[in-house]
Amino acid sequence: MEQIKSTSLNDKAWRRLKRNRSAMFGLAIIIFAALLSIFAYCVAPDNSPSGNEQILQLETHPPGFKIKILKKIREGATTSNILSGMESGFMKDYEPVPVTDYKFEHDSLQYTEYKGRVFSPEVTKVAFSDLLRGKYAGLDKALQKDFIEKHLIENRTYWLGTDKFGRDILSRLIIGVRVSLSVGLISVGISLLIGIFLGALAGYFRGKTDEVIMFVINVFWSVPTLLLAMGLYISAGSLIENKLVMIFIAVGLTMWVDTARIVRGQFIVLREMEFVAAAKSLGYDDARIIFRHILPNILGPVIVVACANFANAILVESGLSYIGLGIQPPAPSWGSMLNEYKDFIDTNKAYLALFPGLAIMLLVLAFNLLGNGLRDALDVKGQLD
């Protein structure tokens, strides 16, 4: 007799989610952004701390701009190891000099330094010994020339152009994804902890407990999210020096309301179910019934609202950074990049503001698409498979 293979509800939900192309597109973008945030300093063209290598001669050059960079070694400068570099960027032991042309003459290098659009280039000659400081100065003359050409002269392409300080926009966008995802992740975590706890208490115990919690929810609900985050940021900013931590707390404390309302509604329904009555008849205490019996049955709606809150957290952080209350320079944030480049919107350099705006839009869209897909996949009503 052929045995019928059973499929769990989670497997069925995953199959339904995989058939939703828009949700899988959103999931792919989120996974890509997560990997990019982890290895940001490994893949960014400018892997200096905060992507802050400034070459003022290259200010606001267009996407696809190409230039040669001469790396003039700074004696005594330190570099970063691989672990610290992946975490906060790689310290540079050289001074970058943009050049348009160069040639070798005996034991010296003659190069034409690029001074920008409005200034004439400048021809400079420098001895190998001045270029190769410290441990590199002891190389043979032939090896010195080979070393300079291979390691100290770099052909660089600025795929998305440069900003007003001559920094690589693509690198700052890549590093900035860390801020958006970290704020979203930790803020959503804070909002889930508060929202699930208060929503569960209100929905399970009802009565006075529900009235008090609903009053608090309505007070928070009446204040615009961005305004509330600004108030929390300003009022508590003097107590917490780390502005990134302050943003985590401010954004997290503004988004728990949605979670609490949904959890409360689910608890009001489930507290009347037979399995809750059975648990009470067995003598289980309220804490066990809430967290081990009811809560696991509402994870679907909670996951969906978490995705929506993740998107909202990215928007709130971008808004705070845009008005100057978020991540402080030179650390890159998509919102602060929008603030820096807003004056270029009505010029032929509008792409400076367009790129971070598109990045915010794409990541928010990805979380909304995934949230909608999860809602449909976890809703078993009317589903045949």
Side-chain angles (χ1 to χ4, degrees):
M1 182 177 179
E2 185 178 354
Q3 186 177 3
I4 299 176
K5 184 179 179 181
S6 63
T7 306
S8 69
L9 294 177
N10 290 336
D11 291 336
K12 291 180 179 179
W14 173 240
R15 285 213 307 267
R16 288 192 291 268
L17 183 65
K18 287 195 295 184
R19 289 199 297 266
N20 189 325
R21 293 184 179 180
S22 60
M24 296 308 294
F25 173 72
L27 180 61
I29 292 176
I30 294 169
I31 293 174
F32 176 74
L35 292 175
L36 203 60
S37 68
I38 296 172
F39 301 104
Y41 284 108
C42 296
V43 300
D46 174 16
N47 59 6
S48 61
S50 298
N52 193 43
E53 184 180 73
Q54 300 183 17
I55 308 177
L56 297 180
Q57 302 97 308
L58 304 183
E59 65 162 330
T60 62
H61 279 61
F65 174 73
K66 296 182 179 181
I67 192 74
K68 293 181 178 66
I69 300 295
L70 172 64
K71 302 175 181 179
K72 298 179 70 173
I73 296 176
R74 293 195 295 257
E75 193 170 6
T78 58
T79 57
S80 307
N81 59 49
I82 185 66
L83 292 179
S84 63
M86 288 182 64
E87 178 184 357
S88 56
F90 294 85
M91 300 293 295
K92 304 298 184 181
D93 60 350
Y94 63 83
E95 174 190 351
V97 178
V99 300
T100 58
D101 193 21
Y102 69 93
K103 63 179 180 179
F104 293 98
E105 294 184 354
H106 303 294
D107 60 349
S108 62
L109 173 71
Q110 179 177 302
Y111 61 89
T112 304
E113 182 177 353
Y114 178 71
K115 290 291 187 176
R117 296 189 187 93
V118 298
F119 297 101
S120 300
E122 180 179 310
V123 178
T124 305
K125 182 182 287 188
V126 60
F128 288 170
S129 57
D130 292 331
L131 278 177
L132 299 170
R133 299 176 181 272
K135 62 181 180 180
Y136 304 110
L139 294 173
D140 181 80
K141 296 295 182 184
L143 293 178
Q144 286 182 346
K145 177 182 176 181
D146 186 61
F147 183 88
I148 291 172
E149 195 154 30
K150 288 184 177 179
H151 300 283
L152 299 188
I153 298 177
E154 174 188 349
N155 291 313
R156 188 175 294 182
T157 301
Y158 293 90
W159 297 105
L160 297 184
T162 59
D163 66 5
K164 59 185 178 181
F165 298 107
R167 298 175 297 193
D168 181 40
I169 293 177
L170 176 60
S171 299
R172 292 179 65 78
L173 281 177
I174 292 173
I175 297 169
V177 75
R178 281 189 170 188
V179 174
S180 294
L181 287 183
S182 60
V183 168
L185 183 63
I186 298 178
S187 299
V188 167
I190 294 173
S191 67
L192 287 179
L193 286 175
I194 299 174
I196 289 175
F197 180 74
L198 293 181
L201 292 181
Y204 183 80
F205 290 107
R206 304 287 286 157
K208 292 292 184 181
T209 303
D210 186 27
E211 292 177 5
V212 172
I213 293 176
M214 281 305 299
F215 174 78
V216 175
I217 288 175
N218 289 329
V219 170
F220 274 82
W221 191 271
S222 64
V223 182
T225 300
L226 186 58
L227 182 62
L228 184 59
M230 287 173 56
L232 291 170
Y233 185 93
I234 294 171
S235 61
S238 59
L239 302 176
I240 301 176
E241 294 183 2
N242 191 319
K243 296 302 180 184
L244 188 58
V245 174
M246 189 64 248
I247 292 175
F248 293 156
I249 297 173
V251 177
L253 290 178
T254 61
M255 295 192 308
W256 63 269
V257 176
D258 290 331
T259 306
R261 287 171 65 94
I262 289 177
V263 170
R264 172 182 174 271
Q266 294 291 318
F267 263 76
I268 290 174
V269 174
L270 293 179
R271 70 192 292 270
E272 307 298 334
M273 302 293 285
E274 290 81 358
F275 70 90
V276 175
K280 289 181 178 179
S281 66
L282 291 172
Y284 295 152
D285 57 24
D286 293 329
R288 175 165 180 165
I289 295 173
I290 291 173
F291 294 106
R292 296 191 61 180
H293 295 270
I294 300 180
L295 189 58
N297 287 281
I298 66 167
L299 289 182
V302 169
I303 292 172
V304 173
V305 76
C307 286
N309 281 349
F310 214 117
N312 290 335
I314 294 172
L315 289 175
V316 172
E317 184 279 324
S318 298
L320 288 173
S321 296
Y322 181 80
I323 61 178
L325 295 178
I327 305 301
Q328 299 302 307
S333 163
W334 293 345
S336 62
M337 290 175 71
L338 275 175
N339 183 35
E340 288 180 24
Y341 310 146
K342 65 180 184 296
D343 295 333
F344 294 94
I345 291 177
D346 57 351
T347 69
N348 61 353
K349 297 181 176 63
Y351 59 85
L352 290 170
L354 181 64
F355 292 136
L358 286 175
I360 294 170
M361 183 199 73
L362 189 61
L363 195 55
V364 170
L365 175 65
F367 277 102
N368 284 330
L369 290 176
L370 180 60
N372 292 338
L374 286 171
R375 180 197 60 203
D376 296 337
L378 294 171
D379 183 12
V380 297
K381 296 178 181 179
Q383 299 283 357
L384 298 178
D385 182 16

